[in-house]
Amino acid sequence: MNTDITALEKPQYPVVDRNPPFTKVVGNFSILDYLRFSTITGVSVTVGYLSGIKPGIKGPSMVTGGLIGLMGGFMYAYQNSAGRLMGFFPNEGEVASYQKRGGFSK
């Protein structure tokens, strides 16, 4: 089974790593990725709290909303980071960083 996402679409930007492992993608999170991650989580906690006021289940609703936001925020940050490494999103910072370290493959 072919699991290579680049087989369907050509990257528009330089490819840093064609198939990055989990640790490399998470290690490549930018400040903006962490900001988006925490914002999505915070908004989800608030929405969960507010949606639990009327039925009187504020606590469980807030926790559930927070967990959903935590997972969604992480997946969004992961998608952006992996997309930059694979060349699907603008990645000037990653290219410069990996060229300095000698880990950039052309």
Side-chain angles (χ1 to χ4, degrees):
M1 180 161 97
N2 185 6
T3 60
D4 188 5
I5 191 170
T6 59
L8 301 175
E9 184 181 332
K10 295 287 266 178
Q12 298 175 359
Y13 301 96
V15 176
V16 175
D17 191 341
R18 188 174 173 95
N19 190 16
F22 178 82
T23 53
K24 190 172 190 176
V25 173
V26 173
N28 188 53
F29 278 12
S30 67
I31 298 297
L32 188 57
D33 290 330
Y34 283 113
L35 180 64
R36 288 175 178 158
F37 180 22
S38 59
T39 301
I40 291 171
T41 303
V43 168
S44 297
V45 168
T46 305
V47 169
Y49 179 81
L50 294 174
S51 65
I53 290 176
K54 181 80 172 172
I57 51 169
K58 293 180 277 195
S61 179
M62 181 176 65
V63 170
T64 303
L67 289 173
I68 291 170
L70 185 75
M71 290 184 290
F74 177 79
M75 286 187 272
Y76 186 66
Y78 189 91
Q79 172 185 316
N80 285 330
S81 179
R84 287 192 309 270
L85 288 172
M86 292 188 291
F88 291 104
F89 300 132
N91 60 359
E92 299 85 21
E94 285 80 6
V95 170
S97 173
Y98 283 91
Q99 276 179 339
K100 261 192 231 177
R101 290 190 258 172
F104 181 70
S105 58
K106 294 182 181 179

